[in-house]
Amino acid sequence: MTLVSLPITALYAALSGFLIIALAANVVRLRLGKKVSLGDGGHKDVSRAIRAHGNTIEYLPLALILMALLEINGGGSTALHIYGSLLVGGRVLYSYGMLIPRSSANLARQLGVVTSWLVILGAGIQLLVI
């Protein structure tokens, strides 16, 4: 049996996990503060917190799977660190942009979305090439 080690992906998965817990704790904090048991209770700040958490949950798994596949297939440590940094940094930016009380999209949120897309596209293309 061959043991596969994915230390680079593991690093960014761990950091992503910390971010997910922080975003989930923020949802719980706001729900408790507003006495909301389920959903957002009509509170925009709770709704934004739920979406910041949910959107992060939606993007991270696929990107981390692509990174793990790249690492297994010799995708190169520099590329993996670039993808991981963009992924985690972008998700932090997106979350920050979502949690700022603004009615329209803002630069942090937009950059967060674009960096997640770039990681998924870049890693996907690189997987096809190697």
Side-chain angles (χ1 to χ4, degrees), residues 9 57 60 86 88-89 114 120-121:
T9 303
I57 291 292
L60 282 176
L86 284 173
V88 173
V114 169
I120 292 168
L121 284 170

Side-chain angles (χ1 to χ4, degrees), residues 20-43:
I20 288 169
I21 292 298
L23 292 170
N26 187 50
V27 171
V28 170
R29 177 187 66 82
L30 288 169
R31 280 183 173 157
L32 288 173
K34 306 280 186 183
K35 299 185 183 343
V36 174
S37 175
L38 184 63
D40 62 19
H43 301 281

Side-chain angles (χ1 to χ4, degrees), residues 18 20 48 52 74 79-80 84 106 109 117:
F18 299 148
I20 288 169
R48 283 192 305 271
L80 286 163
N106 56 54
R109 184 174 167 199
W117 291 352

Side-chain angles (χ1 to χ4, degrees), residues 7 22 36 44 49 99-100 107 119 130:
V36 174
K44 288 183 180 183
L99 298 174
I100 295 171
L107 185 59
V119 169
I130 62 171

Side-chain angles (χ1 to χ4, degrees), residues 69-91:
L69 291 170
L70 271 177
E71 193 163 4
I72 289 169
N73 288 287
S77 62
T78 300
L80 286 163
H81 281 295
I82 290 170
Y83 292 142
S85 297
L86 284 173
L87 180 65
V88 173
R91 291 288 87 205

